[in-house]
Amino acid sequence: MSRISYWSHFTPESRSAAGQRMRSFVAKLTEEGHTVTLLGGGYQSGLPTWRRLLEEARRTLTTRAQVHIVSLPPYRSAIVQAVLMAILPGRRLIIDQRDLVLAAAPELERRLERAFIHRADALIVTTQAQRREMARRYGKLPPTTLIRNGASDDLATLPESLHSRRRGEGRLRVLYQGLVGGKKLKDVTMRLAALGCDLDLAVFVDTWSQNEVEAIERSWNGVGSLTIHANRDARQLARLMDGADVALNPIPSQMDYAFTVKTADYAVRSLPQLVIGSRRSVSRRAVELCRLGHAIDTVEALDKTALLQTMERFQRRTPDALRVFRRETHGPRLLRLLQEIGR
């Protein structure tokens, strides 16, 4: 069996999609007898950046892993891993590419992405559209494996709570759950405040997003309520979803290639979702084709009519029909990948 080190910006305990993916990978690897050492995630401990980077470097050097898995982005947090993978001989590198560097990102981010791709022995992507975009950027890619995103296992299996949705009676209750950055949440919340909605923001809050969350809270001036739910567990998230009328699913235009965990999470909880973003988005096309809700192009199009159409166009499905949105079984594909790069 292999000695494996796994680096991520997040920890397995994180409620982010990256944390969920990490838990799934690590559980299967250890179940199959591999030794897994977790690196990274140290920013959540509040350590100064220089101490965190030194600690990650020390652990990477002393682990003596045969295979190194790096989950990306963010790339700026992985700069130590990039340097060490360039100089350490004999270590196989697998890139778990959950997302791509945005066009507006600093040059350092784009250089790190390019360096990791060129160094990798194998690459994991979440959609075929993502693979095509990476090939467009960098030409020939390392051997690539598709492991799709899907609903969080815990959200998919929890029974529906007794909260009843009001379906447009009185003030609408709207939910957003997920990360804060890059979603124009302040613009979205100001539109909802003007519409008189109640809004639940179930967000992952860390030192990088704290200021944005506080700015959203200060700017709220609606007759409805704004409630911030920071870093909630699966049971709490399921309860919030079961009590909402509509979920928001903003997709930045640079993420056309992505099928997000959020899209699947809303689907398995049978919550109508309103996609805000590019018409080419994989998530948007899934919502429209599968009648999971409604889609609009811009935040400026967010009004009461869009919210009501989201509920009207939603088609409830049986549990068996919702299985298509469940997370793929990651373990077998990851194990086959380890066998292939070990040859």
Side-chain angles (χ1 to χ4, degrees), residues 33-280:
H34 298 281
T35 301
V36 182
T37 301
L38 299 181
L39 309 171
Y43 84 102
Q44 292 176 323
S45 68
L47 289 174
T49 300
W50 68 271
R51 285 186 59 188
R52 173 175 62 81
L53 295 177
L54 284 176
E55 177 62 16
E56 289 181 8
R58 182 191 67 79
R59 296 187 66 197
T60 302
L61 287 167
T62 58
T63 298
R64 299 185 182 279
Q66 299 158 304
V67 179
H68 195 58
I69 302 175
V70 176
S71 184
L72 295 166
Y75 302 85
R76 58 188 177 275
S77 297
I79 190 166
V80 168
Q81 304 304 314
V83 172
L84 291 175
M85 288 303 101
I87 63 176
L88 290 174
R91 296 198 187 189
R92 298 287 191 168
L93 175 63
I94 298 175
I95 300 299
D96 176 25
Q97 190 88 12
R98 304 181 321 276
D99 205 345
L100 299 180
V101 164
L102 302 183
E107 179 63 22
L108 173 63
E109 298 264 328
R110 294 195 292 273
R111 287 178 179 271
L112 283 172
E113 182 181 57
R114 186 178 300 109
F116 271 114
I117 297 304
H118 289 164
R119 166 65 177 83
D121 296 287
L123 174 68
I124 299 171
V125 296
T126 60
T127 68
Q128 294 290 6
Q130 182 189 23
R131 179 191 59 76
R132 288 192 295 271
E133 173 61 17
M134 294 180 73
R136 186 190 68 79
R137 291 187 186 188
Y138 305 116
K140 185 175 174 59
L141 299 177
T144 303
T145 296
L146 173 68
I147 300 181
R148 294 183 178 89
N149 280 332
S152 315
D153 294 334
D154 38 16
L155 280 177
T157 54
L158 284 169
E160 190 168 343
S161 68
L162 297 178
H163 280 211
S164 60
R165 293 171 188 147
R166 290 165 291 184
R167 298 300 182 194
E169 298 176 7
R171 286 203 303 262
L172 288 176
R173 178 164 290 279
V174 180
L175 169 74
Y176 170 80
Q177 71 96 2
L179 298 177
V180 177
K183 305 296 193 302
K184 297 185 178 180
L185 280 188
K186 188 175 179 181
D187 294 341
V188 171
T189 57
M190 290 177 68
R191 298 285 298 184
L192 293 171
L195 295 174
C197 299
D198 293 327
L199 176 60
D200 291 305
L201 288 183
V203 290
F204 178 74
V205 181
D206 58 16
T207 53
W208 292 359
S209 59
Q210 183 68 45
N211 290 341
E212 188 171 350
V213 172
E214 291 174 356
I216 290 171
E217 208 163 9
R218 287 193 302 269
S219 67
W220 182 264
N221 61 354
V223 295
S225 63
L226 168 67
T227 308
I228 307 292
H229 307 269
N231 305 330
R232 298 303 173 120
D233 64 24
R235 192 168 295 277
Q236 293 166 324
L237 285 175
R239 188 176 180 84
L240 287 170
M241 290 185 192
D242 294 346
D245 294 302
V246 175
L248 297 177
N249 191 355
I251 309 288
S253 59
Q254 301 96 330
M255 291 179 62
D256 288 345
Y257 51 80
F259 180 81
T260 63
V261 171
K262 184 189 295 87
T263 306
D265 282 348
Y266 293 151
V268 299
R269 298 309 299 181
S270 295
L271 175 57
Q273 55 185 294
L274 176 61
V275 173
I276 307 171
S278 169
R279 295 184 180 186
R280 297 192 303 268

Side-chain angles (χ1 to χ4, degrees), residues 298-330:
T298 64
V299 173
E300 289 71 29
L302 175 54
D303 57 17
K304 185 72 172 289
T305 299
L307 295 172
L308 293 176
Q309 286 180 337
T310 300
M311 292 185 288
E312 291 168 2
R313 296 182 182 184
F314 175 77
Q315 181 178 311
R316 194 175 181 90
R317 284 173 164 73
T318 65
D320 282 344
L322 289 172
R323 288 185 183 278
V324 69
F325 298 107
R326 294 281 296 272
R327 186 190 300 278
E328 276 196 316
T329 303
H330 289 169

